[in-house]
Amino acid sequence: MDANPIVLDETAGDVVVVVVEGEHDIYTAPTLRERLDEALGRGGGIVVDLTAATFVDSSVLGALLDARRRAIEAGQGYVVCVGDAVEPGVQRILDITGLVPVLPVIQGREEAITAARSTNGTSE
Amino acid sequence: MTTPAPEVLLTMPARPEGVGVVRQALAGMADALDFDPTVLADMKMAVTEACTNVVVHAYDEDAGMLEVEMLADENGLTIVVRDHGAGIQPRPARSEPPALGLGLPLIAALSDAFELKGSAGHGTEVRMTFAYSRSADPATQNPVTGNVGADGRWDPDADSPA
């Protein structure tokens, strides 16, 4: 059993949710990049759900930012979400890097799916 | 706290899977020293970034070692992350895809004191100290500046994302 899974949830239809749980760093960043590639390949909106993530480092931020850039280039909606209570190992790096408005990060998966759907198909 | 915890020295191959092992050991050490969870979170993040730098930058091949030393004294816990690689280099020895380049700014923002030593051919040493009791948030003193650049790496001078 994988204690730090990264899985795709496609139940929202036109928005794929990449669900990231547990601790993630340079060891799991390649897996995250693969899952993000798969999600981007679906052609619709993408939500990265960090609700159950307990730790993410700059390798993870690098993967999230690369996917964001590719989503913007392809006109795909892209939103990162967290839950009501965010682990210090996730909140702190988002806060001090100022990436909350950039990625962007919003609270709640349903809200994120709605936001990703609304910006999908709006290439810059 | 009455008795300082003993010194810990970890030595392992500089590979990605080792970074989580260092975090586990650090969590155990910090727990024994009764650190505040927010300081422990900063410690895990800073040490992860320092170890990642060794894994990504220090060695051309999988031949080198990562050393982590933990020393407790009356003021706090000092963690030294060391390699015996090529020394400080602006570009990674191996990295696919390119690293974000945010490691050192994060270490500076998260630790109460931080020192980087190294020279070409003699390896690199990052020494970070975390106080038992903080008078201020180090991220206020040493904020992470910049934003992501057009090449996907961190640009310390950027005001907004490329």
Side-chain angles (χ1 to χ4, degrees):
Chain A
M1 198 186 90
D2 188 351
N4 302 296
I6 305 171
V7 295
L8 299 191
D9 179 342
E10 305 193 48
T11 53
D14 55 343
V15 176
V16 179
V17 182
V18 183
V19 185
V20 181
E21 298 181 19
E23 293 203 2
H24 293 278
D25 62 12
I26 187 174
Y27 184 45
T28 54
T31 307
L32 175 60
R33 286 180 181 272
E34 283 176 20
R35 298 287 178 276
L36 289 166
D37 280 351
E38 285 175 46
L40 285 159
R42 300 286 195 270
I46 296 120
V47 167
V48 183
D49 188 347
L50 298 181
T51 301
T54 53
F55 179 89
V56 298
D57 77 342
S58 71
S59 313
V60 171
L61 293 187
L64 295 180
L65 287 165
D66 278 352
R68 167 191 168 271
R69 191 188 67 239
R70 292 169 56 199
I72 289 171
E73 284 170 2
Q76 291 172 264
Y78 184 85
V79 178
V80 176
C81 72
V82 293
D84 294 337
V86 189
E87 291 275 344
V90 176
Q91 185 73 59
R92 181 71 155 157
I93 194 167
L94 294 174
D95 285 344
I96 66 174
T97 53
L99 287 175
V100 170
V102 174
L103 281 166
V105 184
I106 68 172
Q107 208 173 61
R109 186 191 291 197
E110 290 310 315
E111 290 81 352
I113 289 171
T114 304
R117 186 173 284 139
S118 71
T119 51
N120 202 34
T122 54
S123 60
E124 290 186 353
Chain B
M1 195 190 58
T2 51
T3 314
E7 190 171 300
V8 174
L9 175 61
L10 300 171
T11 304
M12 64 184 77
R15 295 194 193 118
E17 55 267 42
V19 179
V21 176
V22 174
R23 265 200 313 279
Q24 293 291 331
L26 183 63
M29 181 87 175
D31 192 40
L33 295 167
D34 210 16
F35 266 98
D36 186 272
T38 59
V39 182
L40 172 59
D42 283 5
M43 219 183 268
K44 286 167 100 173
M45 188 75 64
V47 171
T48 294
E49 296 296 338
C51 292
T52 301
N53 278 350
V54 173
V55 171
V56 175
H57 293 261
Y59 304 106
D60 287 332
E61 293 171 23
D62 280 344
M65 300 303 277
L66 162 67
E67 284 179 21
V68 182
E69 213 174 306
M70 303 178 196
L71 311 128
D73 66 15
E74 62 274 15
N75 299 316
L77 180 62
T78 295
I79 301 133
V80 184
V81 175
R82 190 181 296 120
D83 66 65
H84 301 286
I88 299 165
Q89 296 183 98
R91 291 285 160 180
R94 51 160 245 203
S95 178
E96 56 303 313
L100 190 54
L102 197 50
L104 289 176
L106 280 171
I107 293 167
L110 296 167
S111 59
D112 296 298
F114 149 68
E115 192 182 357
L116 177 66
K117 285 185 200 167
S119 57
H122 294 91
T124 306
E125 181 182 292
V126 178
R127 180 176 289 262
M128 299 156 275
T129 299
F130 298 86
Y132 298 122
S133 151
R134 279 181 165 169
S135 52
D137 182 353
T140 309
Q141 300 291 316
N142 298 304
V144 175
T145 58
N147 218 302
V148 64
D151 60 354
R153 285 178 57 82
W154 196 259
D155 177 355
D157 299 319
D159 293 327
S160 55

